[in-house]
Amino acid sequence: MIGTVGLPAWARVGPKRLAHITRVVALVDHWAGGLAVPDHERERWRRAAWLHDAFRDADPGELAHWAPNSVGSVELWHGPAAAAQAEAAGEMDQGVLAAVRFHSVGSAEWDRVGQVLYCADYLEPGRSFDRVDRAALATRFPAEPTQVFFEVVQRRILATVQAGRPLHDSTVTLWNSLGCAGASRPEA
């Protein structure tokens, strides 16, 4: 199993990426406290947070080596590559691996750790866009995790579409699963 205190030795991150990862870890840790999750679940959340961008600054050749079947732009390969490397290094928790693998695009198959990571990656306070709205969502998360997850998925999809980028198949499946599950929608 991967440790819960810091990045693995194989990580490829610069100082800015490390600062981002550290903020994501702090946010998931805060939410775990607010939700009073058991220690073993908190550790899962922390492992996923430390691993999610562990290969974000790796070169494309290394990403292709660890994630040879990745689709989409190379910017999306770091999650699958980090999950593959983490598994090779001993991470066996399939929920943690799925959270890391799909943190950029989403997955309908996630357990709570994937949903938490997806939200924390987007809502961590160091990002410069929509600071006030994102801070409000981050504050609401412990009281309304399902609703905040839905809103984060919605916002991330909208940003992708507005940027003129294609939606990953996994993103579309996630969105459709939320609609089929009858997730409550924000009031207009």
Side-chain angles (χ1 to χ4, degrees), residues 10-162:
W10 50 263
R12 303 287 184 266
V13 298
K16 288 183 181 179
R17 187 71 52 199
L18 178 58
H20 161 72
I21 293 169
T22 303
R23 288 188 301 267
V24 173
V25 171
L27 188 54
V28 301
D29 211 33
H30 173 74
W31 289 345
L35 288 162
V37 300
D39 287 344
H40 71 278
E41 185 67 8
R42 179 187 295 241
E43 293 305 316
R44 293 178 74 228
W45 294 11
R46 290 176 56 81
R47 288 198 317 274
W50 279 116
L51 292 169
H52 85 282
D53 273 356
F55 261 2
R56 187 63 176 95
D57 296 337
D59 66 69
E62 190 168 19
L63 295 174
H65 169 77
W66 285 102
N69 299 319
S70 291
V71 296
S73 67
V74 71
E75 290 81 20
L76 299 178
W77 295 3
H78 69 282
Q85 173 62 31
E87 188 169 28
E91 177 61 62
M92 298 184 312
D93 185 316
Q94 293 303 307
V96 169
L97 293 170
V100 173
R101 184 175 294 112
F102 295 107
H103 79 272
S104 295
V105 296
S107 173
E109 304 301 318
W110 274 334
D111 63 8
R112 181 64 81 180
V113 69
Q115 296 173 1
V116 167
L117 178 60
Y118 189 78
C119 289
D121 188 37
Y122 180 79
L123 297 175
E124 67 93 344
R127 295 192 182 271
S128 61
F129 62 94
D130 295 328
R131 286 185 191 263
V132 173
D133 289 342
R134 286 182 320 92
L137 286 169
T139 299
R140 284 179 39 220
F141 187 88
E144 305 174 66
T146 302
Q147 181 62 27
V148 170
F149 175 65
F150 177 84
E151 291 178 44
V152 167
V153 172
Q154 189 176 43
R155 286 168 175 257
R156 290 181 73 161
I157 288 173
L158 182 60
T160 301
V161 170
Q162 287 176 335

